[in-house]
Amino acid sequence: MAAELSTQVVRGHPPTGVVALCFCDVEDSTPFAERVPALYPGAIATLQGILADCWRRFGGFLVSAQGEECFVAFSDSAAAIRATVEAQRSLAAHSWPEGMALRVRIGIHTGEPLSTGDGYVGLDVHRAARVTAAAYGGQVLVAASTREAAGMVDGVEFMDLGSFRFKGLSAPERLFQLVAPGLAPSFPAPINVLNPHASLPAQATRLVGREGELRALSELLGRRDIRLVTLTGTGGTGKTRLAIAGANQEALRFADGVCFVPLAADREAAQVPVSIAHALDIAEAKTVPELAARIRELKVLLILDNCEQVLDAGPMVAEILAGCPGVKVLATSRVPFHLTIEREFPVAPLGLPNDGVTGAANVARSSAVQLFVERAAEVRPSFTLTEANATAVAAICNRLDGLPLAIELVAARSKLLSPEHLLSRIENGLDAVANGRADIPERHRSLRAAISWSYDLIPEDEQLLFRHL
């Protein structure tokens, strides 16, 4: 087959230097071959002919073609993209025999493979093959290297699917799906990848105004000498949201994934090992030695959420880390554990508009204002920051000290009230800012509840002091 097709594709030697390597194969070819064995060889020959025509028209060099698979190289990544898009369109438009519609998955990786004279060897070839294996029939996946090398390609968009780990490759690969007229617009998540298990709560809204914190948190989680990071701050600063976003961003560092461990319902340190085992979906562990024995070989990031009421579990956390070298802990708490191995990461409220700043464009530079506007638009799609309401929105964010929880509670009332009316309401006290949604934790439904959560955790003599104040 390769000899027959070589006359239809670029002749000569394979391109050298930076090369776009493209693999194609038929998805689920075995059922077709079993169902219509007499028609299958002819269908494969037709498929290879269609593909060869596309490779020839865009300057592809056919490295090999064997049955349902082919390997092509392009000296231009943009040409490789155009060729694969045209190939999928041509295959979709072809009139296949009944029950024989062949769906081809295609992957492209750009690199500098070692040339053997008539082909290539090396890691770049393996990466291209892995990218292809992650695709579905009818889909074209390209690696970040190809996306960068190709630049803008007319009529083609690149859908960012995220980063994935592949078997046998130590570094993750960022994948993009080609989106163009005539191609299927969406597919399930890439297959044949080693995505780490991530038991993280889904977030219904976008994290706003924490880009700097995410970068700093990523750096800490990437350091081998730091095993415990505790996000601290007053209630409502968004510690949990930041922890989840940071864990999602760094999940590929942990071969066994990340695991969210909610501790808000725990009131005794002894419950913590049980909660961790439950979140990891392993056999119940009532003591730290039992838990450590079960997770000693894991490389996992544990998110211990809401630790302030079980601070006595700090020595347990230290014991787990001492016995499990592949485990890291990202904790959220209103106060730190005060452990030697702990790196505290204070989470401050969002940035506020500078004093005296006026005008919508200037006010909009504040991350607190950006959060208010985004959340208000979620309940009232027509809401925008204007010259008329900018002063009131800025005053609301300043009155709430840039506290994300408070801003979200107030913005949720924008469906019925203007910023001016909201400003007058929040001057009336804590109970004016509340949210009755059932899927929100009780401690996040009002400012009073958020403060009460902390108040209830302190000793009785300190409670008495606050009452006197």
Side-chain angles (χ1 to χ4, degrees), residues 242-261:
L242 180 59
I244 291 172
N248 260 322
Q249 183 173 277
E250 297 303 310
L252 291 173
R253 294 183 186 272
F254 303 91
D256 296 296
V258 297
C259 184
F260 185 83
V261 186

PDB file of all heavy atoms in Angstrom, residues 242-261:
ATOM      1  N   LEU A 242      -9.978  29.379  45.857  1.00  0.00           N
ATOM      2  CA  LEU A 242      -8.593  29.497  45.412  1.00  0.00           C
ATOM      3  C   LEU A 242      -7.889  28.146  45.484  1.00  0.00           C
ATOM      4  O   LEU A 242      -7.126  27.777  44.590  1.00  0.00           O
ATOM      5  CB  LEU A 242      -7.864  30.533  46.266  1.00  0.00           C
ATOM      6  CG  LEU A 242      -6.392  30.782  45.934  1.00  0.00           C
ATOM      7  CD1 LEU A 242      -6.232  31.245  44.494  1.00  0.00           C
ATOM      8  CD2 LEU A 242      -5.793  31.803  46.894  1.00  0.00           C
ATOM      9  N   ALA A 243      -8.140  27.381  46.555  1.00  0.00           N
ATOM     10  CA  ALA A 243      -7.518  26.058  46.693  1.00  0.00           C
ATOM     11  C   ALA A 243      -7.941  25.132  45.568  1.00  0.00           C
ATOM     12  O   ALA A 243      -7.109  24.407  44.996  1.00  0.00           O
ATOM     13  CB  ALA A 243      -7.886  25.456  48.050  1.00  0.00           C
ATOM     14  N   ILE A 244      -9.224  25.127  45.229  1.00  0.00           N
ATOM     15  CA  ILE A 244      -9.724  24.260  44.161  1.00  0.00           C
ATOM     16  C   ILE A 244      -9.116  24.660  42.822  1.00  0.00           C
ATOM     17  O   ILE A 244      -8.669  23.813  42.035  1.00  0.00           O
ATOM     18  CB  ILE A 244     -11.259  24.306  44.110  1.00  0.00           C
ATOM     19  CG1 ILE A 244     -11.841  23.635  45.359  1.00  0.00           C
ATOM     20  CG2 ILE A 244     -11.782  23.627  42.848  1.00  0.00           C
ATOM     21  CD1 ILE A 244     -13.339  23.793  45.501  1.00  0.00           C
ATOM     22  N   ALA A 245      -9.079  25.967  42.557  1.00  0.00           N
ATOM     23  CA  ALA A 245      -8.503  26.438  41.292  1.00  0.00           C
ATOM     24  C   ALA A 245      -7.022  26.096  41.219  1.00  0.00           C
ATOM     25  O   ALA A 245      -6.514  25.660  40.172  1.00  0.00           O
ATOM     26  CB  ALA A 245      -8.711  27.946  41.159  1.00  0.00           C
ATOM     27  N   GLY A 246      -6.300  26.274  42.324  1.00  0.00           N
ATOM     28  CA  GLY A 246      -4.879  25.940  42.328  1.00  0.00           C
ATOM     29  C   GLY A 246      -4.634  24.459  42.144  1.00  0.00           C
ATOM     30  O   GLY A 246      -3.707  24.058  41.434  1.00  0.00           O
ATOM     31  N   ALA A 247      -5.467  23.632  42.774  1.00  0.00           N
ATOM     32  CA  ALA A 247      -5.313  22.185  42.636  1.00  0.00           C
ATOM     33  C   ALA A 247      -5.615  21.738  41.217  1.00  0.00           C
ATOM     34  O   ALA A 247      -4.914  20.877  40.663  1.00  0.00           O
ATOM     35  CB  ALA A 247      -6.237  21.473  43.626  1.00  0.00           C
ATOM     36  N   ASN A 248      -6.646  22.293  40.618  1.00  0.00           N
ATOM     37  CA  ASN A 248      -6.960  21.969  39.220  1.00  0.00           C
ATOM     38  C   ASN A 248      -5.797  22.309  38.307  1.00  0.00           C
ATOM     39  O   ASN A 248      -5.463  21.573  37.386  1.00  0.00           O
ATOM     40  CB  ASN A 248      -8.208  22.732  38.777  1.00  0.00           C
ATOM     41  CG  ASN A 248      -9.453  21.882  38.810  1.00  0.00           C
ATOM     42  OD1 ASN A 248      -9.413  20.705  38.473  1.00  0.00           O
ATOM     43  ND2 ASN A 248     -10.560  22.457  39.235  1.00  0.00           N
ATOM     44  N   GLN A 249      -5.182  23.440  38.578  1.00  0.00           N
ATOM     45  CA  GLN A 249      -4.082  23.915  37.745  1.00  0.00           C
ATOM     46  C   GLN A 249      -2.844  23.037  37.875  1.00  0.00           C
ATOM     47  O   GLN A 249      -2.085  22.868  36.916  1.00  0.00           O
ATOM     48  CB  GLN A 249      -3.758  25.356  38.166  1.00  0.00           C
ATOM     49  CG  GLN A 249      -2.694  26.052  37.364  1.00  0.00           C
ATOM     50  CD  GLN A 249      -2.585  27.512  37.743  1.00  0.00           C
ATOM     51  OE1 GLN A 249      -3.319  28.360  37.271  1.00  0.00           O
ATOM     52  NE2 GLN A 249      -1.669  27.825  38.636  1.00  0.00           N
ATOM     53  N   GLU A 250      -2.646  22.457  39.051  1.00  0.00           N
ATOM     54  CA  GLU A 250      -1.432  21.691  39.320  1.00  0.00           C
ATOM     55  C   GLU A 250      -1.661  20.183  39.365  1.00  0.00           C
ATOM     56  O   GLU A 250      -0.774  19.434  39.766  1.00  0.00           O
ATOM     57  CB  GLU A 250      -0.819  22.148  40.645  1.00  0.00           C
ATOM     58  CG  GLU A 250      -0.381  23.600  40.641  1.00  0.00           C
ATOM     59  CD  GLU A 250       0.620  23.885  39.532  1.00  0.00           C
ATOM     60  OE1 GLU A 250       1.610  23.142  39.420  1.00  0.00           O
ATOM     61  OE2 GLU A 250       0.399  24.834  38.765  1.00  0.00           O
ATOM     62  N   ALA A 251      -2.842  19.722  38.976  1.00  0.00           N
ATOM     63  CA  ALA A 251      -3.182  18.304  39.109  1.00  0.00           C
ATOM     64  C   ALA A 251      -2.197  17.387  38.397  1.00  0.00           C
ATOM     65  O   ALA A 251      -1.919  16.268  38.859  1.00  0.00           O
ATOM     66  CB  ALA A 251      -4.601  18.057  38.592  1.00  0.00           C
ATOM     67  N   LEU A 252      -1.643  17.845  37.278  1.00  0.00           N
ATOM     68  CA  LEU A 252      -0.758  16.980  36.500  1.00  0.00           C
ATOM     69  C   LEU A 252       0.562  16.695  37.209  1.00  0.00           C
ATOM     70  O   LEU A 252       1.306  15.806  36.800  1.00  0.00           O
ATOM     71  CB  LEU A 252      -0.484  17.605  35.136  1.00  0.00           C
ATOM     72  CG  LEU A 252      -1.693  17.654  34.190  1.00  0.00           C
ATOM     73  CD1 LEU A 252      -1.357  18.437  32.944  1.00  0.00           C
ATOM     74  CD2 LEU A 252      -2.133  16.251  33.827  1.00  0.00           C
ATOM     75  N   ARG A 253       0.867  17.444  38.261  1.00  0.00           N
ATOM     76  CA  ARG A 253       2.088  17.168  39.022  1.00  0.00           C
ATOM     77  C   ARG A 253       1.960  15.892  39.862  1.00  0.00           C
ATOM     78  O   ARG A 253       2.956  15.360  40.344  1.00  0.00           O
ATOM     79  CB  ARG A 253       2.410  18.335  39.964  1.00  0.00           C
ATOM     80  CG  ARG A 253       2.769  19.640  39.293  1.00  0.00           C
ATOM     81  CD  ARG A 253       3.135  20.668  40.368  1.00  0.00           C
ATOM     82  NE  ARG A 253       3.365  21.984  39.826  1.00  0.00           N
ATOM     83  CZ  ARG A 253       4.530  22.427  39.385  1.00  0.00           C
ATOM     84  NH1 ARG A 253       5.579  21.624  39.400  1.00  0.00           N
ATOM     85  NH2 ARG A 253       4.656  23.657  38.921  1.00  0.00           N
ATOM     86  N   PHE A 254       0.720  15.427  40.063  1.00  0.00           N
ATOM     87  CA  PHE A 254       0.477  14.335  41.000  1.00  0.00           C
ATOM     88  C   PHE A 254      -0.080  13.127  40.257  1.00  0.00           C
ATOM     89  O   PHE A 254      -1.222  13.149  39.772  1.00  0.00           O
ATOM     90  CB  PHE A 254      -0.478  14.797  42.097  1.00  0.00           C
ATOM     91  CG  PHE A 254       0.029  16.005  42.848  1.00  0.00           C
ATOM     92  CD1 PHE A 254      -0.298  17.279  42.439  1.00  0.00           C
ATOM     93  CD2 PHE A 254       0.866  15.840  43.940  1.00  0.00           C
ATOM     94  CE1 PHE A 254       0.181  18.400  43.109  1.00  0.00           C
ATOM     95  CE2 PHE A 254       1.355  16.938  44.618  1.00  0.00           C
ATOM     96  CZ  PHE A 254       1.014  18.219  44.209  1.00  0.00           C
ATOM     97  N   ALA A 255       0.732  12.082  40.179  1.00  0.00           N
ATOM     98  CA  ALA A 255       0.368  10.909  39.383  1.00  0.00           C
ATOM     99  C   ALA A 255      -0.939  10.281  39.847  1.00  0.00           C
ATOM    100  O   ALA A 255      -1.690   9.723  39.051  1.00  0.00           O
ATOM    101  CB  ALA A 255       1.493   9.876  39.431  1.00  0.00           C
ATOM    102  N   ASP A 256      -1.238  10.358  41.151  1.00  0.00           N
ATOM    103  CA  ASP A 256      -2.478   9.787  41.668  1.00  0.00           C
ATOM    104  C   ASP A 256      -3.555  10.833  41.916  1.00  0.00           C
ATOM    105  O   ASP A 256      -4.561  10.560  42.578  1.00  0.00           O
ATOM    106  CB  ASP A 256      -2.182   9.014  42.958  1.00  0.00           C
ATOM    107  CG  ASP A 256      -1.277   7.821  42.694  1.00  0.00           C
ATOM    108  OD1 ASP A 256      -1.710   6.916  41.963  1.00  0.00           O
ATOM    109  OD2 ASP A 256      -0.139   7.819  43.187  1.00  0.00           O
ATOM    110  N   GLY A 257      -3.344  12.028  41.385  1.00  0.00           N
ATOM    111  CA  GLY A 257      -4.383  13.030  41.359  1.00  0.00           C
ATOM    112  C   GLY A 257      -4.465  13.917  42.585  1.00  0.00           C
ATOM    113  O   GLY A 257      -3.548  13.998  43.402  1.00  0.00           O
ATOM    114  N   VAL A 258      -5.587  14.595  42.680  1.00  0.00           N
ATOM    115  CA  VAL A 258      -5.873  15.476  43.804  1.00  0.00           C
ATOM    116  C   VAL A 258      -7.185  15.034  44.427  1.00  0.00           C
ATOM    117  O   VAL A 258      -8.065  14.504  43.748  1.00  0.00           O
ATOM    118  CB  VAL A 258      -5.946  16.954  43.366  1.00  0.00           C
ATOM    119  CG1 VAL A 258      -4.619  17.418  42.820  1.00  0.00           C
ATOM    120  CG2 VAL A 258      -7.031  17.163  42.323  1.00  0.00           C
ATOM    121  N   CYS A 259      -7.315  15.262  45.721  1.00  0.00           N
ATOM    122  CA  CYS A 259      -8.501  14.787  46.430  1.00  0.00           C
ATOM    123  C   CYS A 259      -8.973  15.861  47.408  1.00  0.00           C
ATOM    124  O   CYS A 259      -8.199  16.345  48.238  1.00  0.00           O
ATOM    125  CB  CYS A 259      -8.195  13.494  47.172  1.00  0.00           C
ATOM    126  SG  CYS A 259      -9.644  12.770  47.985  1.00  0.00           S
ATOM    127  N   PHE A 260     -10.245  16.234  47.298  1.00  0.00           N
ATOM    128  CA  PHE A 260     -10.846  17.248  48.158  1.00  0.00           C
ATOM    129  C   PHE A 260     -11.433  16.576  49.387  1.00  0.00           C
ATOM    130  O   PHE A 260     -12.252  15.660  49.284  1.00  0.00           O
ATOM    131  CB  PHE A 260     -11.937  17.984  47.383  1.00  0.00           C
ATOM    132  CG  PHE A 260     -12.556  19.134  48.127  1.00  0.00           C
ATOM    133  CD1 PHE A 260     -11.939  20.384  48.122  1.00  0.00           C
ATOM    134  CD2 PHE A 260     -13.743  18.974  48.818  1.00  0.00           C
ATOM    135  CE1 PHE A 260     -12.502  21.449  48.798  1.00  0.00           C
ATOM    136  CE2 PHE A 260     -14.314  20.033  49.498  1.00  0.00           C
ATOM    137  CZ  PHE A 260     -13.697  21.279  49.487  1.00  0.00           C
ATOM    138  N   VAL A 261     -11.007  17.040  50.563  1.00  0.00           N
ATOM    139  CA  VAL A 261     -11.457  16.458  51.831  1.00  0.00           C
ATOM    140  C   VAL A 261     -12.199  17.529  52.629  1.00  0.00           C
ATOM    141  O   VAL A 261     -11.570  18.377  53.267  1.00  0.00           O
ATOM    142  CB  VAL A 261     -10.276  15.919  52.655  1.00  0.00           C
ATOM    143  CG1 VAL A 261     -10.791  15.199  53.900  1.00  0.00           C
ATOM    144  CG2 VAL A 261      -9.397  14.998  51.818  1.00  0.00           C
TER     145      VAL A 261
END
